[in-house]
């Protein structure tokens, strides 16, 4: 163990500093008081619409039906909550809903990509809810064994009140893509906690796609096993009238030479559409030589929307390769529309082109052609809601103020 | 035979201190087959004229008319004006991230023609148009104007001019920021367009340099929001020698006299 000189030690940021980037995790529900809504981690979430998940509403152990379409070579098994694979990502619940859901899930699905297996076809897990009258919990662990390469797609559909955990464990040198598509019906409430442990020289690409649901809140977090891991966290969301879509990212750079890149893009349209993006990055003292960048861009398409976007960067060592963030929220760029329209393209088509273009780079980065096409179709369907077909041109409301916290 | 007619055009913009009149009564008639050059110092309102005709929302037309073969252009939306046969090559072409040049050109062509171009000939036409302005066909896959150099953006405007082939083209300082090779390439594109014989060109420029390559039939000196003098191409030569100072001073005196 190295001895830190007293002076240097005094200058270092204390781990005791009050910061929501240093959550006191606990598996015990009693350690997490019922939130009031004023807490930093709750202040953007409409608690009233959580259907009591944050209080004491019963959470059933059996949830929506899960169907798994396994790619060849990938296995799935069910284990009890006491199995050592459960919790192997290192995650400890840092909020009340997460702790409650963790305790409620008695059966855990474990998807395993065997060591050194290179699997091109995606494994697709579809969770389909039927009703919103009772809340339920689910727990999935995805284990990418060392040097494997695979893609897992999680699809959430139908109506449900679901609090779930997805643990993602990447062994040394593993390459894993996880795409989580929240394509819920209008009444669904989804509180999803997805935590990854990225092994030595392993590479995770996580993609969150949120279109449906009344309220979706995803907490996506990453920590690193030893050195050299990479995480690319991508997101795409489209909030319609009355929808609350919240994505909270937390990258814990706890190991040297680790890399992270967070890139989320969202569009909002309709009265009461609300998106929240929180990008937390913590660079710990040990995390020398790391490189991180996070970006969130929001495109506000109509009046009455609200986009909150808060990047947070907490740095405990100056010995890093790079750290930065960007956040923009804006309405349609009038100059882009003018340029396109001056070439004869009508307003509706011009708006569609601009929105397509806005999402295109994220969609391209996902790198799975079948999924890319579906996403562009989904964007198209969302656009049809407000922008309409070219015949309905000109009906769009005047784009309004967006708020950036 | 078509006519673009601008009559007594007055245009204002909103400023922090209220509306400010930029164009103070512009009269101009351009017939197909003619090339008109509008020359003037910075701030004289040349670009305002171009953008007002095209329908940019920033400009408010307070008086006057713009007609194309008798049709009132000012009643049309931006895209309707383009479909009526107007094209504006911009001084600062806008970047549209994520929209490929190929997609953009095809969408514009479809909008202008009212039907999608034939796939086989279209790809060939696009490649040929890009080749003529010395643009690599690889640009077709790039986002519209994103990361293009100043010269590449202007050449892309000329590609659009050739492919969309409007009845009237307004070129707003298309020559600005171009090196001599790019200037020649862009000018040749404009000349190919005019050489069809039945197209009108309104060439807006600050410098006489481009007029070595494009020979205007008419030259208009634009100062303080209106046309101060008109003539043939010999007027451009005089401007080259004398500059705009004489006109600017005269406009100041007129303004001062008006204020008294």
């Amino acid at each position: 163990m190295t001895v830190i000189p007293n002076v240097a030690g005094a200058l270092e940021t204390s781990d005791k500093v009050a910061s929501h980037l240093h959550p006191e995790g606990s598996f015990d529900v009693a350690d997490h008081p019922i939130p009031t809504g004023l807490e930093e981690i709750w202040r953007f979430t409409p608690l009233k619409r959580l259907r009591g998940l944050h209080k004491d509403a019963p959470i059933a152990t059996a949830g929506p039906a899960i169907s798994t379409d396994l790619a060849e070579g990938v296995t799935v098994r069910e284990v009890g909550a006491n199995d050592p694979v459960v919790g192997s990502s290192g995650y400890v619940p840092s909020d009340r809903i997460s702790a409650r859901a963790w305790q409620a899930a008695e059966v855990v699905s474990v998807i395993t990509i065997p060591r050194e297996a290179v699997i091109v076809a995606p494994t697709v897990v579809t969770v389909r809810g039927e009703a919103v009258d009772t809340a339920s919990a689910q727990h999935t662990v995805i284990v990418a064994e060392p040097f494997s390469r695979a893609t897992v797609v999680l699809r959430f559909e139908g109506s449900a009140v679901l609090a779930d955990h997805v643990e993602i464990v990447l062994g040394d040198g593993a390459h894993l893509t996880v795409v989580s598509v929240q394509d819920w019906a209008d009444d669904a409430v989804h509180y999803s906690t997805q935590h990854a442990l990225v092994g030595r020289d392993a590479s995770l690409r996580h993609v969150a796609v949120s279109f449906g649901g009344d309220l979706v809140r995803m907490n996506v977090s990453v920590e690193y096993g030893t050195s050299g891991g990479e995480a690319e966290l991508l997101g795409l969301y489209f909030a319609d009238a009355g929808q609350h879509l919240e994505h909270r990212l937390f990258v814990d750079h706890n190991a040297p030479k680790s890399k992270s890149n967070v890139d989320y893009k969202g569009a909002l349209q309709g009265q009461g559409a609300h998106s929240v993006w929180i990008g937390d990055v913590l660079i710990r003292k040990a995390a020398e030589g790391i490189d991180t960048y996070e970006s969130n861009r929001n495109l506000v398409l109509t009046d009455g929307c609200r986009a909150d976007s808060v990047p947070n960067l907490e740095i405990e060592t100056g010995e890093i390769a790079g750290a930065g963030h960007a956040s923009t929220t804006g309405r349609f760029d009038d100059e882009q529309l003018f340029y396109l329209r001056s070439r004869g393209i009508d307003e509706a088509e011009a708006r569609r082109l601009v929105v397509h273009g806005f999402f295109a780079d994220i969609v391209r980065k996902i790198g799975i052609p079948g999924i890319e096409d579906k996403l562009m179709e989904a964007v198209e369907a969302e656009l049809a809601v407000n922008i309409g077909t070219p015949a309905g041109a000109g009906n769009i409301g005047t784009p309004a103020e967006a708020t950036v916290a | 035979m078509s006519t673009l007619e601008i009559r007594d055009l007055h245009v204002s913009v909103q400023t922090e201190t209220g509306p400010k009149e930029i164009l103070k009564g512009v009269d101009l008639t351009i017939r197909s087959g003619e090339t008109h050059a509008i020359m003037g110092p910075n701030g004289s309102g040349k670009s305002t004229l171009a953008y007002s005709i095209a329908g940019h929302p920033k400009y408010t037309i307070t008086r006057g008319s713009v007609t194309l073969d008798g049709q009132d252009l000012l009643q049309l939306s931006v895209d309707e004006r383009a479909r009526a046969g107007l094209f504006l090559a911009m001084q600062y072409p806008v970047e549209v991230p994520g929209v490929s040049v190929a997609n953009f050109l095809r969408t514009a062509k479809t909008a202008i023609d009212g039907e999608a171009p034939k796939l086989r000939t279209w790809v060939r036409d696009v490649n040929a148009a890009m080749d003529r302005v010395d643009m690599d066909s690889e640009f077709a896959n790039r986002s519209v104007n994103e990361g293009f150099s100043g010269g590449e953006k202007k050449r892309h405007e000329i590609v659009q001019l050739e492919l969309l082939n409007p009845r009237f083209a307004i070129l707003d300082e298309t020559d600005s920021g171009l090196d001599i090779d790019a200037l020649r390439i862009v000018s040749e594109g404009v000349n190919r367009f005019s050489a069809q014989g039945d197209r009108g060109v309104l060439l807006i420029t600050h410098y006489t340099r481009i007029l070595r390559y494009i020979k205007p039939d008419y030259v208009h000196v634009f100062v303080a929001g209106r046309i101060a003098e008109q003539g043939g191409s010999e007027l451009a030569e005089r401007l080259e020698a004398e500059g705009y100072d004489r006109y600017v001073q005269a406009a100041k005196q007129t303004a001062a006299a008006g204020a008294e």
Side-chain angles (χ1 to χ4, degrees), chain A residues 50 74 84 145 150 194 257 288 356 372 377:
Chain A
L50 281 171
V74 179
E145 292 188 349
Q194 308 198 355
K257 302 275 185 194
E288 295 191 350
H356 262 258
E372 291 177 13
E377 278 170 28

Side-chain angles (χ1 to χ4, degrees), chain B residues 108-123:
Chain B
K109 182 67 174 171
T110 304
I112 296 284
D113 289 0
E115 59 177 356
K118 298 270 179 295
L119 195 61
R120 268 184 65 201
T121 51
W122 174 246
V123 172

